[in-house]
Amino acid sequence: VEALSLIATRPYIPDLVLLDVMMPVKSGYEVCAELRESYPATILPVIMISAKSSESAIVDGLQSGCNDYVAKPFSRHELLARISTQL
């Protein structure tokens, strides 16, 4: 929730958002959907990261608007490659 207000009040848009699916106040799916109301995927890439690795969890993430979904555990090289692809 803090991140949403931070992004909205900054004079610049971040290059990319890494977003965990399981958060205490709102789910990553909800946060991503809210981000997509103001920022299209081409302007603000979102990569979701989660221990949830089922097909339905990945589909939920993609349907909420994320550009990519990485299941934990992941390698540093995989994550960096996925970030590089979005930038």
Side-chain angles (χ1 to χ4, degrees):
V1 179
E2 287 177 39
L4 288 171
S5 61
L6 212 107
I7 290 171
T9 58
R10 296 284 172 146
Y12 59 87
I13 298 171
D15 293 331
L16 180 130
V17 172
L18 292 176
L19 184 60
D20 200 329
V21 171
M22 296 183 285
M23 299 186 295
V25 178
K26 289 185 180 185
S27 75
Y29 305 129
E30 294 170 309
V31 172
C32 189
E34 286 186 41
L35 283 171
R36 289 296 171 244
E37 291 174 9
S38 301
Y39 307 99
T42 54
I43 300 296
L44 180 58
V46 174
I47 298 176
M48 285 196 174
I49 298 175
S50 181
K52 294 182 174 186
S53 59
S54 68
E55 180 180 349
S56 64
I58 295 168
V59 169
D60 288 345
L62 294 169
Q63 288 178 337
S64 72
C66 74
N67 297 67
D68 201 354
Y69 191 104
V70 181
K72 294 177 188 177
F74 53 84
S75 75
R76 178 176 152 266
H77 297 291
E78 176 189 1
L79 183 59
L80 290 174
R82 290 175 183 268
I83 289 171
S84 178
T85 298
Q86 297 303 321
L87 298 177

